[in-house]
Amino acid sequence: MRLIITTLLALISQFLLTGCDNAAKVTDLEPATPQVAGAYVAEYGSWASPVTPEDVYDLADDISDVRATTQGIYFVQSNANNEGKKGVYRFDIDGGVTKVVSSNFNIRSRVHEYGGAPYAAIGNSLFATKFSDQILYRIAPNQAPFALTPNGTRHAGCISNPKASRLICVREDHRGKGEPVHSLVGINLSYADEGETLASGADFYSMPVLSPDQSQLAWIAWNHPNMPWDQTELWLADLDAKGVIQNPRKIETQQKGSITQPLFSPTGQLYFIADFNNWWNIYRLDPQLIPEIVLEKQADFADADWQVGKYNYAFENEHRMVASYNHDGLAQLIRIDTHSGVTEPIAVDFAEINYVTQNGNDVLFVGAKETPEKGIYKIQGRAAQLIYAPNLSVMDPNFISRPQSLSYRTGNDETAHGYLYPPKNPNYTGPTNKEPPLVLMMHPGPTAKASRAFRRDIQYWTSRGFAVFDVNYRGSTGFGRDYRNSLYGNWGKSDVEDAVRAAGFLVNRGDVDGRQLAIRGNRAGGFTALSAVANYSTFGAGVSYSGISDMEEFKRHSHKFESHYLLRLLGSVENYRERSAMANLKGVNEPLLLIQGVNDSLIPAEQSLIIYEAVKRKGVPVTYLAFSDDAANRVSPESKKQALEAELSFYGQIFGFTPAGSLPALAIENIEHLRRR
């Protein structure tokens, strides 16, 4: 009877709540008078929420790749209503915003497979990579896009070389047999041709940058088996008036490490970021080309370069720069006097700061907060002014769960990190002497990071009565080189252990119900989730979104950028099988939800199907949910919404609560064999 009453109250409350939609508004309806201490008493997980799947996946317009020219500020913005395809906008000098390239063009590079920096802007013209064919096009006003580069090549990180009337770009050439060939090339602005090779011989290139007088070119290069966050090289060359490279030389450093983000100061001094002292700090070259540190700080002024072209610092003038860094998961912004080393904090309320760039004497960046605000900001003194934001719905702050940064002991007496989001809904409270269920989230790294920036998918769960813990397991970026490298040889072991220890830590603190623990992840995060369920009995439910379950099979689908990465992560060829969930199916005794794109070329659907059939034969509750509309390893927003509702229904059936509202029926094989904890 109590369950029936609780369910009716949840349904009534849902009718009285107005959800976020595409219009920028907040509900003005008041909920019915709560019954107990200001809120209804209802089972955790059953709370009616204004955060819908549409809010999660239809309101995901992201901003990236900010570029400033004399004609305005260009930036890339994804279009959630067009399957996340990307177009280019310009923030004009008069304050207006112009759509320069439609999202139907879909600007996106696949250099290093993960792309980044897909366009360059010169005046009113763009030079942009189209995702469908990876050709670089010149896009000028009142002209049809004109192809500049050959089929079979990819380009990113392009910069303007005005003296030579060309672009300088990172090229990835797929026209030959075997691995693609990487180089730096000069590309004519007016006609299509092969371009001129400027630098070649290394396995990878990134981040070309010109000195203010265009007399010098710097860039980053590296070779197998390194990733760009392992060990890279900084190169410097002279350029003649025609843009011909002369005297190329590798900058010798006493310490080896990951060098990234080269940038010339207004006076022509070369700066860069390196993790020589365990942290990605800012350095510069003295007149003898010897590196000297600008500011020593136990913080990372860079992220792992999965993509080309992201900068964390820019110059306001010849002696002053603005830089962002990450310390213990917190984003900070500071101004640095490059002569004295004196710093001052700027705008300290951001959770994520990216694409720091110079615009004359101003510095711009893309910022996101713990609340829904995000957009392009301009530094003004010690504050930041929002100059552009995507048109997103407002969310009632009373429903927003704010993250708590937590650290906990894990294997080998080391420390791992994460963010706890408690349940938050002003209309409900949970039953007395009961804790909420936990959704433990694994980021799709492994060399990535969870951040405190606002995410509607997290609020989807917390507003329904779940606690969410977003894990920065060992290997995550933002905690120094040693922490990042600690996953090498231990993937599928340390990350899994960190997930299990996180759950136990939260149970012991009294934050969550130890009988209602779920772990979920996508791709590499799905690998960790599947491995945790296969090797431990901690979690009562596991959810894998195209999770890697067979490392040997995954290796066969890897590309040049990651071709040596798996061995470094796993430590030995033997571990490819030993740490795969596919080889440990006998240990899977807890309910599984497997969500898979049928056409996924990186994670073949057969892997999830094999697990599904094996677990079903064991009599363990399991569901396989497949979507056939995926393309380029991306699932449509419509399918993502269905998957999210299926996940909620799955938790309800496994943990024994009835979610509010009307959800599509989710059939779970062997549900009759479910063992309550």
Side-chain angles (χ1 to χ4, degrees):
M1 178 60 71
R2 180 181 177 183
L3 179 59
I4 293 173
I5 293 172
T6 299
T7 303
L8 287 173
L9 289 172
L11 288 171
I12 291 169
S13 179
Q14 188 179 33
F15 281 116
L16 294 170
L17 287 169
T18 298
C20 301
D21 55 24
N22 288 328
K25 62 182 180 180
V26 181
T27 177
D28 56 2
L29 297 178
E30 294 295 332
T33 304
Q35 288 191 333
V36 179
Y40 291 113
V41 176
E43 293 290 333
Y44 288 110
S46 71
W47 302 352
S49 167
V51 185
T52 67
E54 286 72 24
D55 295 326
V56 174
Y57 291 117
D58 287 349
L59 303 173
D61 293 351
D62 285 325
I63 297 171
S64 63
D65 297 290
V66 178
R67 303 280 184 268
T69 74
T70 56
Q71 301 303 309
I73 300 164
Y74 291 85
F75 58 93
V76 172
Q77 183 169 311
S78 63
N79 184 348
N81 293 322
N82 194 14
E83 299 182 344
K85 294 178 180 178
K86 298 181 178 182
V88 176
Y89 294 76
R90 184 179 63 237
F91 188 80
D92 297 318
I93 297 172
D94 62 5
V97 176
T98 302
K99 182 189 292 183
V100 181
V101 180
S102 167
S103 61
N104 290 325
F105 187 88
N106 199 14
I107 287 179
R108 181 180 156 208
S109 169
R110 291 186 61 193
V111 166
H112 305 161
E113 294 300 327
Y114 297 96
Y119 78 100
I122 303 176
N124 283 323
S125 295
L126 291 185
F127 300 84
T129 294
K130 187 176 183 180
F131 177 68
S132 61
D133 58 21
Q134 288 298 292
I135 291 174
L136 187 72
Y137 289 85
R138 185 186 69 227
I139 304 174
N142 303 316
Q143 296 180 20
F146 180 79
L148 291 173
T149 54
N151 276 307
T153 61
R154 304 173 181 178
H155 298 81
C158 298
I159 59 172
S160 173
N161 182 195
K163 283 187 178 180
S165 298
R166 67 181 180 183
L167 297 173
I168 297 175
C169 301
V170 176
R171 170 174 286 181
E172 186 174 282
D173 193 338
H174 289 255
R175 291 174 293 179
K177 294 182 179 180
E179 287 188 334
V181 176
H182 288 74
S183 59
L184 291 182
V185 296
I187 296 175
N188 192 283
L189 302 179
S190 302
Y191 56 82
D193 67 357
E194 281 289 324
E196 178 188 356
T197 299
L198 303 177
S200 61
D203 288 324
F204 300 98
Y205 291 87
S206 183
M207 294 187 168
V209 61
L210 276 171
S211 61
D213 63 3
Q214 300 177 57
S215 67
Q216 292 188 306
L217 175 70
W219 66 89
I220 300 296
W222 70 94
N223 294 293
H224 287 317
N226 292 306
M227 299 298 284
W229 47 85
D230 294 328
Q231 184 172 318
T232 58
E233 301 168 349
L234 175 63
W235 284 75
L236 182 64
D238 302 321
L239 291 181
D240 66 16
K242 295 182 179 180
V244 176
I245 278 189
Q246 298 174 337
N247 188 30
R249 62 267 192 202
K250 183 177 73 172
I251 301 302
E252 299 296 337
T253 60
Q254 288 186 339
Q255 299 167 287
K256 302 301 181 183
S258 169
I259 304 172
T260 185
Q261 299 185 29
L263 188 65
F264 286 95
S265 74
T267 57
Q269 189 171 19
L270 183 57
Y271 284 67
F272 59 93
I273 293 175
D275 63 355
F276 298 149
N277 65 350
N278 183 51
W279 302 93
W280 269 313
N281 283 181
I282 301 175
Y283 292 77
R284 64 189 168 205
L285 295 182
D286 70 11
Q288 287 73 45
L289 302 185
I290 297 173
E292 60 182 18
I293 195 164
V294 175
L295 177 66
E296 189 166 9
K297 199 172 187 66
Q298 291 188 359
D300 277 337
F301 285 82
D303 289 328
D305 285 331
W306 285 97
Q307 293 185 315
V308 177
K310 291 176 68 174
Y311 273 82
N312 286 65
Y313 68 108
F315 288 90
E316 288 183 312
N317 56 47
E318 58 184 281
H319 301 311
R320 198 168 63 196
M321 69 165 63
V322 171
S324 68
Y325 66 85
N326 189 288
H327 176 68
D328 287 342
L330 299 175
Q332 303 286 343
L333 196 63
I334 58 172
R335 179 177 283 112
I336 305 171
D337 185 308
T338 58
H339 275 181
S340 66
V342 173
T343 67
E344 63 176 357
I346 303 171
V348 295
D349 60 340
F350 288 92
E352 193 74 27
I353 297 170
N354 287 304
Y355 302 103
V356 181
T357 188
Q358 182 179 6
N359 178 31
N361 292 326
D362 294 325
V363 170
L364 311 171
F365 66 92
V366 176
K369 301 188 178 185
E370 294 178 8
T371 48
E373 299 92 341
K374 67 177 179 181
I376 301 174
Y377 291 81
K378 180 173 70 173
I379 299 296
Q380 288 191 321
R382 296 180 64 178
Q385 175 193 2
L386 178 67
I387 63 172
Y388 175 81
N391 186 22
L392 299 180
S393 293
V394 176
M395 183 173 173
D396 186 336
N398 292 310
F399 288 88
I400 296 176
S401 180
R402 302 287 284 265
Q404 303 172 11
S405 294
L406 298 177
S407 299
Y408 58 96
R409 304 306 294 175
T410 186
N412 299 323
D413 202 31
E414 296 184 66
T415 300
H417 312 276
Y419 308 119
L420 174 65
Y421 295 80
K424 184 71 179 294
N425 188 318
N427 300 311
Y428 294 93
T429 187
T432 305
N433 298 323
K434 188 171 182 181
E435 287 76 42
L438 170 69
V439 175
L440 193 80
M441 292 188 170
M442 308 303 299
H443 63 65
T447 312
K449 68 176 181 181
S451 88
R452 296 170 62 99
F454 179 81
R455 285 172 48 184
R456 291 180 188 267
D457 61 331
I458 288 178
Q459 306 302 323
Y460 178 87
W461 298 111
T462 56
S463 61
R464 284 170 168 77
F466 290 83
V468 170
F469 193 68
D470 206 5
V471 186
N472 268 319
Y473 53 83
R474 282 171 286 179
S476 300
T477 298
F479 301 89
R481 180 184 181 90
D482 292 343
Y483 191 80
R484 193 170 68 249
N485 286 354
S486 67
L487 192 64
Y488 281 161
N490 295 307
W491 194 31
K493 181 181 175 183
S494 293
D495 52 319
V496 175
E497 187 174 43
D498 292 353
V500 170
R501 293 289 186 97
F505 170 72
L506 296 172
V507 170
N508 291 336
R509 275 175 37 115
D511 295 304
V512 299
D513 186 343
R515 298 163 300 174
Q516 297 184 343
L517 305 175
I519 184 170
R520 75 192 298 266
N522 176 40
R523 297 193 179 278
F527 164 71
T528 305
L530 288 170
S531 297
V533 174
N535 292 285
Y536 292 87
S537 59
T538 302
F539 298 97
V543 179
S544 166
Y545 282 79
S546 295
I548 306 168
S549 57
D550 185 341
M551 278 295 169
E552 291 176 318
E553 179 66 22
F554 182 68
K555 176 67 171 68
R556 286 190 280 272
H557 292 268
S558 65
H559 42 73
K560 179 183 177 182
F561 183 68
E562 294 181 342
S563 58
H564 294 255
Y565 189 40
L566 282 184
L567 184 58
R568 182 163 282 189
L569 283 168
L570 292 166
S572 69
V573 174
E574 293 73 26
N575 287 337
Y576 278 55
R577 177 169 177 77
E578 182 178 324
R579 295 189 190 160
S580 296
M582 196 74 77
N584 295 284
L585 293 177
K586 63 180 182 299
V588 179
N589 297 304
E590 304 300 337
L592 271 184
L593 172 59
L594 304 166
I595 299 170
Q596 177 72 45
V598 172
N599 301 313
D600 195 321
S601 62
L602 294 178
I603 317 293
E606 290 79 8
Q607 292 190 27
S608 293
L609 278 169
I610 291 172
I611 291 181
Y612 167 69
E613 294 294 345
V615 173
K616 184 171 69 171
R617 285 194 298 270
K618 291 182 64 175
V620 175
V622 62
T623 292
Y624 175 73
L625 191 60
F627 294 103
S628 59
D629 61 349
D630 54 320
N633 304 315
R634 292 174 178 240
V635 178
S636 72
E638 201 57 43
S639 294
K640 290 179 180 179
K641 296 174 208 173
Q642 294 177 35
L644 194 62
E645 290 187 322
E647 188 176 350
L648 176 58
S649 176
F650 179 72
Y651 294 146
Q653 294 182 62
I654 299 306
F655 293 149
F657 63 84
T658 302
S662 177
L663 290 177
L666 178 70
I668 302 178
E669 297 285 349
N670 302 321
I671 189 64
E672 67 277 7
H673 298 153
L674 176 67
R675 295 178 291 108
R676 298 283 185 199
R677 292 189 168 213

